[in-house]
Amino acid sequence: MSASPLKRPVPAALAGLLAASVPVLLAAVLAASVLSCRTYNIERKLQPVHADFLSKVSYIMTRDERKIFLDLPDTDKNDFIEEFWKRRDPDPDTEANEYRAEYERRVERAGALFHGEGRPGWQTDRGRIYVLFGPPSERLTYPMDPAGDCREVWYYGSFPVIFIDDICSGTFVMRAINLEHLQELNIAQGHFQKTFDREKRTFDYTISMEKLRSEPGVFEGAVHVDIPYNAIWFAFEEGRLETSFNVRIDLSDESGTTLWEAHDSFPLSLEESELTKNRKGRFRMAFPVLITENLDRLRSQRLRMEVAVKSTTEGQELKKIVEFRLKT
């Protein structure tokens, strides 16, 4: 987004407080993370093309990006994928996206090289290292050593990465030498990930429904849309930090019938000192909800709420869908 010198967007938090471009620690290479039941259920319902994308970019996708992608309706996931790669394009002025091409080439090559472990080659330990760091400068293989196991040693410069197959079955597991080497490898990983443009990140928000009153024939509540202050980009105008959010909400039942909808704008204007004070807080946008028809039927259903929030400073619109039941 272009801006005049006097209205250039400024970040809400200091650069040192921003999330790392791709915070994939080496622990993520050594062990798979445990997913919540909700996340697992969402992933099971993904269309094959979306599940394939999510799986293959797991090494470079940030936690926030993953959450946003899973919350998006299917109709918006393809746009997210295009934007995901644009964010990492080292030279947006050219048609080619060298980052995407190199990453996808490594995934394909890892799949061909390490396919014999009962899973896609790029999901194996050797495949992960290959995708993140590329081919080693030297690769040594030992069919069986005196201890009775098979091993491979990959060198990236003078740094070795060791893979062990305890029973020579074809399944290799990466072994750390010591914590110092783990740190060196983690630092080296940033070389491939550094092309991510931090200034092109996607803002995020959370949605919640608060029950205020629930009795026969009446449900009264409030929908809250919360955005962390340190994720908001502002325009600097006349000594103040300015922005605004346009919010649209549509609540429907299982048949798709709209039960309630709302649209509003929420301007936000702060002194710099106010932003510093609220940096760890959230900007809340609230919508009152009143439902008085067919409550008995609706309380037995999973209702669907689609929310769209557009930042006027960044020009971005982010859609999410949440499902919930009316609390009695």
Side-chain angles (χ1 to χ4, degrees):
M1 178 184 63
S2 61
S4 66
L6 295 180
K7 295 187 178 182
R8 183 176 178 81
V10 294
L14 297 175
L17 297 175
L18 290 175
S21 62
V22 188
V24 185
L25 298 178
L26 192 59
V29 177
L30 296 171
S33 61
V34 179
L35 300 177
S36 67
C37 291
R38 176 180 177 274
T39 300
Y40 174 74
N41 288 332
I42 293 175
E43 290 188 8
R44 281 199 314 147
K45 297 178 182 178
L46 287 174
Q47 295 181 14
V49 64
H50 297 150
D52 183 66
F53 163 77
L54 188 66
S55 181
K56 287 180 177 177
V57 300
S58 60
Y59 305 137
I60 57 172
M61 175 178 268
T62 67
R63 183 179 302 175
D64 287 343
E65 285 176 321
R66 184 182 185 86
K67 180 177 179 295
I68 290 170
F69 182 75
L70 291 174
D71 286 340
L72 283 174
D74 285 348
T75 53
D76 291 330
K77 281 186 168 63
N78 289 338
D79 288 339
F80 176 96
I81 292 172
E82 290 303 313
E83 180 64 23
F84 175 88
W85 290 118
K86 285 180 182 179
R87 288 166 176 272
R88 290 160 171 82
D89 189 348
D91 189 358
D93 294 331
T94 63
E95 291 186 7
N97 185 333
E98 295 83 1
Y99 186 101
R100 179 176 186 175
E102 174 64 13
Y103 188 85
E104 291 179 342
R105 186 191 67 79
R106 292 186 186 181
V107 168
E108 181 180 0
R109 185 60 178 157
L113 288 172
F114 314 115
H115 58 83
E117 297 188 17
R119 50 184 166 165
W122 51 268
Q123 288 184 347
T124 66
D125 277 13
R126 289 179 297 173
R128 291 170 187 172
I129 296 301
Y130 189 96
V131 169
L132 288 172
F133 304 106
S137 54
E138 185 177 7
R139 177 185 178 186
L140 305 178
T141 61
Y142 301 89
M144 182 175 293
D145 65 13
D149 55 34
C150 298
R151 68 177 58 203
E152 290 190 10
V153 182
W154 295 9
Y155 282 93
Y156 290 90
S158 61
F159 180 75
V161 182
I162 299 175
F163 303 94
I164 302 292
D165 180 356
D166 290 326
I167 58 175
C168 294
S169 65
T171 298
F172 287 83
V173 178
M174 191 181 78
R175 297 286 173 84
I177 303 173
N178 55 45
L179 292 178
E180 179 183 354
H181 287 153
L182 286 179
Q183 178 65 14
E184 290 177 5
L185 189 58
N186 191 44
I187 293 172
Q189 180 177 326
H191 177 73
F192 179 64
Q193 299 167 337
K194 68 181 180 180
T195 56
F196 180 79
D197 188 341
R198 299 182 186 186
E199 292 191 359
K200 296 181 181 178
R201 74 198 192 290
T202 302
F203 73 92
D204 195 10
Y205 58 87
T206 59
I207 307 163
S208 60
M209 168 74 85
E210 178 186 11
K211 182 188 73 173
L212 301 177
R213 179 165 61 107
S214 183
E215 55 190 49
V218 176
F219 176 88
E220 184 178 1
V223 175
H224 295 149
V225 179
D226 295 309
I227 302 180
Y229 279 102
N230 62 8
I232 299 174
W233 284 72
F234 295 86
F236 190 72
E237 299 182 9
E238 298 181 358
R240 295 183 66 84
L241 300 169
E242 307 276 353
T243 191
S244 181
F245 296 96
N246 296 326
V247 184
R248 293 182 290 108
I249 303 178
D250 182 272
L251 177 65
S252 58
D253 61 16
E254 291 181 345
S255 70
T257 301
T258 297
L259 305 173
W260 170 82
E261 57 186 347
H263 175 258
D264 206 350
S265 296
F266 295 84
L268 178 59
S269 177
L270 298 171
E271 296 282 354
E272 189 172 352
S273 59
E274 294 178 284
L275 180 60
T276 301
K277 180 180 178 180
N278 294 314
R279 179 172 52 80
K280 294 184 179 181
R282 292 173 176 265
F283 176 55
R284 168 161 287 185
M285 298 170 282
F287 293 82
V289 179
L290 181 64
I291 300 176
T292 58
E293 297 182 4
N294 303 315
L295 271 178
D296 290 338
R297 176 177 64 85
L298 296 177
R299 284 193 171 108
S300 66
Q301 296 188 14
R302 291 191 64 83
L303 304 183
R304 182 178 185 271
M305 182 181 297
E306 181 170 329
V307 180
V309 178
K310 183 174 183 178
S311 164
T312 57
T313 306
E314 298 181 79
Q316 293 179 327
E317 182 178 75
L318 176 61
K319 294 181 181 178
K320 290 191 177 185
I321 292 177
V322 295
E323 295 183 342
F324 65 96
R325 294 185 185 275
L326 292 177
K327 297 181 179 179
T328 56

